Amino acid sequence: MITISNVTVRYGGKPLFDGITCTIGTKNKIGLVGKNGAGKSTLLKMIARQFSPDEGEIITPKEYRIGYLPQDGISVSGKTVYDEVAETVFSEVMALQEREEALSHELSTRTDYESDAYTQLIHDLTECHDEVHRRGGSTMRADIENILSGLGFLPGDTTRLCDEFSGGWQMRIELAKILLSKPDCVLLDEPTNHLDIESVQWLEQFLSGYNGSVVLVSHDRAFLDTITNRTIEITNGGIEDYGVSYSKYVIERVERRALVEAAYKNQQRDIAQQERFIERFKSKASLASRVQSRIKQLDKIDRIELEEEDTSAIRFSFPPAPRSGKLPIETKQLSKQYGTKTILKPMDIAIERGDRIAFVGKNGEGKTTFAKILTGKEQHGGELITGHNVQIGYFEQHQAESLDPDASVFDIIDRAAKGDMRLKMRSLLGAFLFSGDAVNKKVRVLSGGEKSRLAMAKLLLEPSNLLILDEPTNHLDMRSKDVLKQALLDYDGTLVVVSHDREFLQGLTTKVWEFAGGKIKEYVGDIYEYLAAKNATSMREIERAKQTPAVEIVPVPAPSQPVAPPKVDTSKHLSREEQKERDKAERKKKRDIEEAEQRIANLEKEIADLEQRMNDAAFFSSPDYATTMQRHNAAQHELESAMEQWAALAG
């Protein structure tokens, strides 16, 4: 257990934390939340002993082990991935294994079988062997490979030098080391920024069943809800502790704030009454003692501090999209190689006007490369055909980092604005929360979220009809992500989004392109329909041995138009009774399929009605907020189950 006792941290004389106290239990799964700059990362660093508080202390039991993954800044080099992980996590085990080998070799060369020294050697070897086994030495290689595989590393990656991997992959190496070392407490600061969807899901399962405490900072709602059973909000220099997951915290926070506001108003009314009495009678000698008593009472009041609600949020919409040709993008045998490594195999593929496509797949499978090819920023083989009047807007994955660090916020927009947009620069910056002196801040002092907002503002300076966004939500807080998502839902052009954020993608796109093995598979539907289809077809994919084309379209079957399996006419080989039984079974199967289709249709309509209700601005303050959210989540799960049932019947 970790005890945070009366901790105070000051920056420039202003307290970031003011005497906070709480405990982290042995199996707590905690989501750490709060607005940007509240101190979430700072608290993790203090718990990890990266620096000490100005006052108070953080107490941990003797030999208590903490694993800490920061947002960035990890750099590993000089060893292969496997050696880096093994020698960091299992150094003592490897030393024991070497000693075990030495003892075994010595035992095989000695012949003094009756001596005490030989007996002692056997005893030492047995003890050493047992200790290796107790510390996981017998399963060390399998454990390392399982964790690395879960985090997206291929078998051949384990023998590659760490130096060959990008910063995001190096963060995964560090995460693997933390998970394998099995610390008493795992601290993770925005871990999903470096992971693809499959790795995020694997990490969710791993952390949900982790036999220790977990404290994480994340802007991924689905990730928080799957893992956490407790939410700590950093607010107004203090903390608010909620013993629930993130979605339930959102509901309880509204209720708790209403109670605090009522108590605050009552206290302010009492204080005003006391102050009026003091002001009115302070000059009357006959009431001097009562006045002094009231003054002392005021001094003793533990005043309720009500944090001002941060209602700021980016407010914007994308400019109307000029009309493009029917096929904004078309390829003929397009391919991509880096040296001898094939990233994309030759493919013929097209993006139609109005498409809304999510690019998904493991990191390194070509999502970002293909996005850059579409924008003309990457060389390729084959042919890329850009359609009539196509105007591309592109947000790069690390676009925020490419901004000139010595330029001011205003300079960035001033350099990019042309024509009529120069008259709207101040309004555009204000829409992205840059106003007053903030427009003169240098890029180098901006937070990650501020840089992302500035890069997004720059994107709006030119109208586009093909918008390509590569991980646009990294570093954005939840409120800003919601506003961006709404703006994209309202966008009337063609949209391509590379993202690992399932909640952000839900309902935003109508197609999913999965990148794997140099090929692209197209799934019709949004991200959760894609995940359901992947789960339903995974066993069939494993058994499919024949060669597949570079581009394969795998639609999620529409309930109203089931894809029936091919029928084989065996009636002439059956007896009359067998034929009757077969016909009866087929009729029952047909009824079951129809019932499943009707259930799917009903659930889809119910979900659509609920989401329309949830889009109402007044919804979050309505009395049925909690029950509506619960029913929406339940309906989503029921729909997934119904789709799986339908797939099993029709498959």
Side-chain angles (χ1 to χ4, degrees):
M1 185 173 73
I2 299 173
T3 301
I4 300 169
S5 179
N6 295 312
V7 165
T8 296
V9 176
R10 299 183 184 88
Y11 284 118
K14 183 179 179 181
L16 181 65
F17 296 111
D18 190 7
I20 62 171
T21 295
C22 71
T23 59
I24 299 172
T26 54
K27 292 190 178 181
N28 284 167
K29 306 290 194 301
I30 299 173
L32 204 56
V33 302
K35 63 184 182 182
N36 287 346
K40 303 184 292 293
S41 296
T42 300
L43 184 56
L44 289 186
K45 289 176 182 177
M46 281 196 297
I47 297 173
R49 307 292 187 186
Q50 297 287 312
F51 69 88
S52 301
D54 297 319
E55 297 175 18
E57 58 182 338
I58 296 177
I59 306 165
T60 56
K62 187 178 180 182
E63 297 183 0
Y64 190 89
R65 296 180 303 119
I66 294 174
Y68 168 56
L69 182 76
Q71 279 193 37
D72 47 39
I74 296 295
S75 179
V76 184
S77 62
K79 298 177 183 177
T80 66
V81 173
Y82 182 88
D83 288 344
E84 172 64 28
V85 173
E87 292 175 18
T88 301
V89 180
F90 295 99
S91 58
E92 294 181 1
V93 173
M94 293 172 74
L96 284 168
Q97 286 177 329
E98 289 180 5
R99 183 165 184 262
E100 183 181 12
E101 289 179 8
L103 290 171
S104 180
H105 176 71
E106 183 180 350
L107 194 66
S108 67
T109 59
R110 293 182 60 156
T111 57
D112 53 336
Y113 309 121
E114 304 298 330
S115 67
D116 291 341
Y118 192 86
T119 302
Q120 183 62 43
L121 191 60
I122 294 174
H123 176 74
D124 291 345
L125 179 59
T126 302
E127 276 196 343
C128 188
H129 176 79
D130 290 344
E131 186 66 10
V132 167
H133 183 74
R134 187 182 71 80
R135 295 195 182 204
S138 57
T139 61
M140 180 181 73
R141 177 169 288 277
D143 291 343
I144 291 174
E145 290 175 349
N146 285 339
I147 294 291
L148 289 173
S149 174
L151 292 175
F153 289 91
L154 299 174
D157 291 336
T158 61
T159 56
R160 292 171 57 192
L161 289 174
C162 295
D163 315 55
E164 299 177 30
F165 291 89
S166 65
W169 283 94
Q170 295 222 2
M171 297 296 286
R172 295 193 194 205
I173 296 171
E174 189 67 19
L175 179 57
K177 287 154 60 174
I178 291 170
L179 300 181
L180 282 162
S181 64
K182 300 177 183 178
D184 299 290
C185 180
V186 176
L187 309 176
L188 304 176
D189 197 350
E190 293 289 0
T192 62
N193 280 356
H194 311 288
L195 303 177
D196 49 65
I197 287 177
E198 292 182 15
S199 297
V200 168
Q201 290 181 306
W202 178 87
L203 184 59
E204 282 178 346
Q205 294 177 349
F206 186 95
L207 293 178
S208 296
Y210 188 68
N211 192 32
S213 56
V214 177
V215 183
L216 61 90
V217 175
S218 178
H219 290 140
D220 187 327
R221 288 185 180 90
F223 188 69
L224 285 170
D225 273 337
T226 302
I227 297 168
T228 62
N229 54 26
R230 181 179 168 195
T231 302
I232 294 179
E233 179 188 17
I234 301 175
T235 173
N236 203 32
I239 57 174
E240 294 287 338
D241 202 337
Y242 299 79
V244 293
S245 63
Y246 180 81
S247 290
K248 293 179 181 178
Y249 143 78
V250 172
I251 299 169
E252 285 195 15
R253 185 181 186 276
V254 173
E255 298 170 351
R256 190 180 294 191
R257 183 173 177 84
L259 294 174
V260 173
E261 285 178 346
Y264 174 80
K265 289 177 181 177
N266 290 335
Q267 188 182 73
Q268 290 299 305
R269 185 173 59 251
D270 293 341
I271 290 172
Q273 289 175 352
Q274 298 278 35
E275 289 175 340
R276 283 197 299 270
F277 180 91
I278 293 168
E279 184 64 27
R280 184 177 180 183
F281 299 113
K282 64 182 180 181
S283 59
K284 290 186 177 292
S286 60
L287 296 175
S289 61
R290 293 179 64 183
V291 168
Q292 289 300 314
S293 176
R294 297 289 180 97
I295 292 173
K296 290 179 181 178
Q297 288 178 18
L298 279 180
D299 290 339
K300 291 179 181 178
I301 289 177
D302 186 8
R303 302 199 177 214
I304 298 171
E305 292 188 24
L306 189 65
E307 183 180 33
E308 184 177 347
E309 279 285 274
D310 183 7
T311 57
S312 59
I314 52 178
R315 308 173 302 282
F316 75 97
S317 59
F318 289 94
R323 188 171 178 81
S324 70
K326 186 177 180 181
L327 292 178
I329 295 292
E330 188 176 3
T331 74
K332 293 183 178 179
Q333 292 297 290
L334 185 142
S335 63
K336 177 63 181 179
Q337 285 185 304
Y338 288 114
T340 58
K341 184 177 181 182
T342 299
I343 303 298
L344 298 170
K345 296 178 180 179
M347 64 181 70
D348 296 341
I349 201 165
I351 297 176
E352 298 180 2
R353 183 178 62 230
D355 273 350
R356 305 178 70 84
I357 305 170
F359 285 6
V360 303
K362 292 183 178 181
N363 289 358
E365 291 289 350
K367 303 186 299 295
T368 294
T369 299
F370 191 60
K372 288 182 176 180
I373 288 173
L374 297 181
T375 62
K377 292 180 176 291
E378 189 75 48
Q379 298 295 317
H380 58 87
E383 189 176 359
L384 173 69
I385 304 169
T386 303
H388 172 69
N389 196 37
V390 172
Q391 300 174 33
I392 298 176
Y394 180 43
F395 183 92
E396 294 187 66
Q397 183 173 355
H398 301 292
Q399 187 157 330
E401 281 69 33
S402 67
L403 299 172
D404 181 357
D406 295 316
S408 69
V409 169
F410 184 83
D411 290 339
I412 295 295
I413 299 301
D414 183 50
R415 292 172 186 174
K418 295 180 178 66
D420 292 343
M421 287 306 298
R422 296 194 62 79
L423 303 175
K424 302 177 182 179
M425 289 191 301
R426 291 281 179 179
S427 297
L428 180 63
L429 286 170
F432 282 83
L433 308 183
F434 295 108
S435 58
D437 292 339
V439 302
N440 297 318
K441 291 170 69 175
K442 297 291 186 183
V443 170
R444 67 170 65 256
V445 303
L446 299 180
S447 68
E450 287 173 325
K451 289 178 182 176
S452 292
R453 294 204 308 268
L454 181 57
M456 191 66 68
K458 184 180 175 185
L459 181 65
L460 266 64
L461 292 171
E462 292 284 346
S464 64
N465 48 31
L466 173 56
L467 196 56
I468 302 174
L469 308 179
D470 192 354
E471 297 292 0
T473 62
N474 281 0
H475 304 296
L476 289 184
D477 59 33
M478 292 185 182
R479 184 178 298 166
S480 297
K481 284 202 304 183
D482 290 342
V483 175
L484 173 59
K485 182 174 180 177
Q486 187 58 54
L488 291 172
L489 286 169
D490 296 337
Y491 176 63
D492 59 352
T494 305
L495 176 66
V496 171
V497 184
V498 184
S499 180
H500 63 268
D501 191 325
R502 293 156 296 171
E503 189 274 336
F504 178 74
L505 289 174
Q506 183 181 14
L508 181 62
T509 57
T510 55
K511 294 179 180 178
V512 175
W513 285 10
E514 180 190 50
F515 288 69
K519 304 174 185 178
I520 297 176
K521 289 183 182 180
E522 180 181 284
Y523 293 78
V524 179
D526 82 349
I527 189 64
Y528 280 100
E529 290 173 305
Y530 155 74
L531 292 172
K534 281 284 289 181
N535 184 55
T537 61
S538 59
M539 292 308 297
R540 290 198 292 270
E541 288 292 325
I542 291 172
E543 294 177 5
R544 185 189 300 175
K546 67 181 181 179
Q547 189 71 23
T548 55
V551 181
E552 181 180 355
I553 298 178
V554 186
V556 176
S560 58
Q561 296 179 331
V563 180
K567 294 183 178 180
V568 179
D569 186 9
T570 59
S571 57
K572 58 186 176 183
H573 303 297
L574 302 176
S575 68
R576 185 174 180 180
E577 288 301 318
E578 289 172 332
Q579 180 65 38
K580 286 175 64 177
E581 287 298 319
R582 195 192 77 159
D583 292 344
K584 181 179 178 181
E586 286 185 352
R587 287 195 298 272
K588 181 180 184 304
K589 181 178 180 181
K590 184 178 180 182
R591 285 197 306 272
D592 290 344
I593 290 174
E594 290 173 351
E595 289 174 3
E597 290 171 356
Q598 186 59 51
R599 185 179 175 219
I600 289 169
N602 293 340
L603 285 167
E604 287 178 335
K605 183 179 184 305
E606 181 184 4
I607 290 170
D609 292 342
L610 289 170
E611 289 178 347
Q612 185 175 1
R613 168 84 179 92
M614 291 158 64
N615 286 333
D616 189 337
F619 167 69
F620 294 98
S621 58
S622 64
D624 63 340
Y625 171 84
T627 55
T628 303
M629 291 293 292
Q630 290 169 358
R631 180 52 201 155
H632 181 264
N633 291 337
Q636 290 277 14
H637 290 301
E638 290 174 21
L639 178 60
E640 291 178 13
S641 176
M643 291 294 291
E644 290 176 5
Q645 180 187 10
W646 181 90
L649 289 168

